[in-house]
DNA sequence: CGAAGTCTGTCTACGATGTAGACAGACGCT
DNA sequence: AGCGTCTGTCTACATCGTAGACAGACTTCG
């Protein structure tokens, strides 16, 4: 006769160790990248950071590429597309979409590369694309034209975020090159002083949208 | 008495081994990246590929970052800015600049990332920027506004090239996700079939330029 | 002519990385 | 009770970026 293996009475909470998930790992990876930069990120560090074996990540992602796809999806999720102004005019919808995407990317400057270097094909992303196209279609824009417009906006937004992130992050690393002696050089210096780094994003957005409107023939 | 160490008569050309150069290495690195992809590139492979010691590159570049800066400069050089239509209207100049940049980047799809993820600050690049600003200034555009416009065009161009390169390169890698059952999904499919991947670049370019023109107040 | 210093390429060493694969305990189903 | 699967652990290996010592050739200067 053996003793009852169950301990008597209530025990304090055992240290909970949540089981791993693709999504949890993706979010953790994003946090790690935010904290220490993409350069320093590694699969093993991720495993260790979430309190598991360094190799544990490979149970959920076959590849680093695969993981980064997950990180990009996590970033996309932050857009929270459901709260976009789907009922207003499509121009405003598109503008808000771009603004949110930019804000999110600039909040994760180290991860912008990850987002920018892969086509996000998550169901959520495709769904959003489809809804956006339907919206433009309802305004009489041909799907093909709508797709082109959306692509332009998207590429501008990502290109912008990438440029800003990269410039800010690289600012301290690189040594100031000696300024050339061109007589016009002060034009550049003056202009650079007069404009914030990302002054122009909304201007560009407006220009694209206006340009599209005028090209509707 | 020792024999004359010089050999008699004309010898066939000794195998020439050019001495290394920062630029030569940068161009060789670009070629390697083109050939096998950024993922497979390494400092040691570069050294070996040019016929020297794997570690030889570090005599000329302190870092991989440093090397990639050089690769970006090499890409910029391909634009051949001197043959741009500097005498025409600035809109045409800007358009041609963007078109050339896009063409070059799409010719080096594996290296687009390298170019897109660092601000190119070579003298040649700064010089071009200055000349461009001067050109717009001659048309009565304030330097600050000109800088904003140029940045918008640049970011759109790079964002576009990156998107195209990444999509094309990743096309075979990723498995087609099952198409969602949304009733509007065929809108997307139809639109995607009707548009080439990079159909929209010139349209976007035109839209931006037109949008700027109309915002000149 | 010769010595000293510099330039350039070679070589070794180290810790970290991505990834493959074997292994083991826990859990669910029969 | 037994068995297969799921999940996390652990070991192994080739490769990588980078630091640093070393050596031959070339330059400079007395």
């Amino acid at each position: 006769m053996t003793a009852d293996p169950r301990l008597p009475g209530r025990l304090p909470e055992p240290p909970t160790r949540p089981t791993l998930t693709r999504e949890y790992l993706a979010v953790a990876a994003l946090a790690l990248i935010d904290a220490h930069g993409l350069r320093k990120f590694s699969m093993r560090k991720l495993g260790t950071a979430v309190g598991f074996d360094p190799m544990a990540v490979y149970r959920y992602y076959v590849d680093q590429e695969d993981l980064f796809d997950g990180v990009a999806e996590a970033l996309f999720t932050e857009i929270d597309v459901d709260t976009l102004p789907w009922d207003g005019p499509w121009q405003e919808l598109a503008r808000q979409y771009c603004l949110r995407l930019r804000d999110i990317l600039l909040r994760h400057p180290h991860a912008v590369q990850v987002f920018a270097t892969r086509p996000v094909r998550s169901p959520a992303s495709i769904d959003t694309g489809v809804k956006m196209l339907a919206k433009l279609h309802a305004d009489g824009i041909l799907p093909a034209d709508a797709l082109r417009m959306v692509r332009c906006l998207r590429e501008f937004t990502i290109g912008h975020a990438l440029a800003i992130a990269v410039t800010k992050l690289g600012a301290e690393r690189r040594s100031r090159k000696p300024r050339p002696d061109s007589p016009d050089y002060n034009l550049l210096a003056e202009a650079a002083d007069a404009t914030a780094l990302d002054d122009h994003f909304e201007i560009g957005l407006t220009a694209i949208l206006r340009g599209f409107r005028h090209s509707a023939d």
Side-chain angles (χ1 to χ4, degrees), chain A residues 99-118:
Chain A
L99 287 173
R100 280 209 202 162
L101 179 54
R102 178 203 60 166
D103 288 345
I104 287 162
L105 292 182
L106 291 189
R107 267 203 294 279
H108 301 279
H110 288 286
V112 176
Q113 280 193 60
V114 175
F115 189 87
T117 54
R118 69 203 68 240

Side-chain angles (χ1 to χ4, degrees), chain A residues 11 36-37 81 97 115 119 131 138 152 160 166 205 214:
Chain A
L11 280 179
H36 305 112
V81 289
Y97 177 88
F115 189 87
K131 274 175 72 180
C152 285
H160 172 78
V166 147
L205 217 51
H214 284 252

Side-chain angles (χ1 to χ4, degrees), chain A residues 5-166:
Chain A
R6 285 169 306 177
L7 295 173
R10 262 264 180 258
L11 280 179
E13 290 275 347
T16 98
R17 199 168 76 145
T19 168
L20 287 177
T21 312
R22 273 179 72 93
E23 279 155 44
Y24 179 69
L25 282 171
V27 172
L30 178 55
L32 260 187
I33 292 171
D34 283 344
H36 305 112
L38 187 56
R39 204 87 215 161
K40 305 252 187 177
F41 176 84
S42 86
M43 300 295 271
R44 302 160 111 113
K45 280 177 188 163
L46 174 57
T48 310
V50 295
F52 287 78
D53 185 90
M55 300 291 102
V57 185
Y58 283 97
R59 284 282 158 207
Y60 296 85
Y61 289 99
V62 311
D63 243 0
Q64 193 172 74
E65 280 292 305
D66 195 14
L67 206 219
F68 284 172
D69 286 350
V71 172
E73 281 187 39
L75 282 167
F76 183 86
T77 303
E78 284 192 35
I79 298 181
D80 190 22
V81 289
D82 290 334
T83 65
L84 283 171
W86 287 100
D87 294 328
W90 70 263
Q91 285 92 346
E92 192 51 24
L93 172 64
R95 164 185 293 272
Q96 291 304 325
Y97 177 88
C98 291
L99 287 173
R100 280 209 202 162
L101 179 54
R102 178 203 60 166
D103 288 345
I104 287 162
L105 292 182
L106 291 189
R107 267 203 294 279
H108 301 279
H110 288 286
V112 176
Q113 280 193 60
V114 175
F115 189 87
T117 54
R118 69 203 68 240
V120 180
R121 292 200 201 286
S122 68
S125 161
I126 293 184
D127 229 56
T128 305
V130 168
K131 274 175 72 180
M132 199 85 80
L133 253 57
K135 181 90 180 142
L136 297 221
H137 194 220
D139 256 39
I141 300 176
L142 292 179
D145 288 333
L147 184 55
R148 284 190 261 256
M149 292 183 187
V150 168
R151 281 178 176 165
C152 285
L153 290 168
R154 204 186 151 70
E155 289 161 7
F156 173 57
T157 304
I158 294 179
H160 172 78
L162 189 55
I164 299 300
V166 147

